[in-house]
Amino acid sequence: EVQLVESGGGLVQTGGSLRLSCAASGLTFENYAIGWFRRVPGKAREGVSAVYSDGTTYYADSVKGRFTISRDNAKNTIYLQMNSLKPEDTAVYYCAADRILGPQDMIAVWRSNSYGTIDYWGQGTQVTVSS
């Protein structure tokens, strides 16, 4: 059984930082692009960031320069360091794993918010940024 277990969400003030983690099990970690989508109630999920097994990364324009994604293949875990948080970052953040052909496909999926193609999802973790 594949599991993606997120942790690290919470409440923080504007300008603060949080670090999300996603631990994967039940899959061959290096065969998957893994990253984060987020959803605000009433809106579709948005691709935030992703990392491929070769280290290629993707960031949505709204988080570039503030968020950093990293991947530890030995621990089957990815991390999302979120700095300079803004109220508009408030959302449920979902870890997502997609077995896709290559890094450019990963970028295409996350950039187009093609969450319907994702193979596995975590349960989600709430991030709230107060103004």
Side-chain angles (χ1 to χ4, degrees):
E1 179 188 6
V2 174
Q3 286 190 316
L4 302 176
V5 180
E6 302 117 330
S7 60
L11 172 64
V12 66
Q13 291 185 331
T14 297
S17 298
L18 285 172
R19 187 193 194 206
L20 304 183
S21 300
C22 173
S25 61
L27 53 72
T28 303
F29 192 70
E30 57 266 26
N31 290 345
Y32 286 79
I34 300 185
W36 301 89
F37 284 75
R38 65 186 180 188
R39 183 172 65 186
V40 175
K43 296 186 178 182
R45 294 187 189 192
E46 173 193 18
V48 176
S49 183
V51 57
Y52 196 67
S53 56
D54 67 350
T56 301
T57 57
Y58 165 80
Y59 297 96
D61 288 343
S62 58
V63 305
K64 279 182 182 176
R66 300 188 297 121
F67 290 12
T68 302
I69 193 168
S70 60
R71 177 176 180 138
D72 187 335
N73 287 331
K75 295 183 178 180
N76 284 10
T77 301
I78 65 166
Y79 306 94
L80 186 68
Q81 179 66 42
M82 305 186 295
N83 298 328
S84 302
L85 283 162
K86 305 175 181 180
E88 50 265 43
D89 294 317
T90 295
V92 178
Y93 284 69
Y94 295 90
C95 183
D98 195 1
R99 185 166 184 169
I100 52 180
L101 295 177
Q104 295 307 310
D105 299 290
M106 176 193 76
I107 292 171
V109 167
W110 258 261
R111 178 174 289 159
S112 62
N113 303 322
S114 299
Y115 54 86
T117 68
I118 297 296
D119 292 312
Y120 302 106
W121 292 98
Q123 79 283 1
T125 185
Q126 177 71 45
V127 170
T128 302
V129 184
S130 62
S131 58

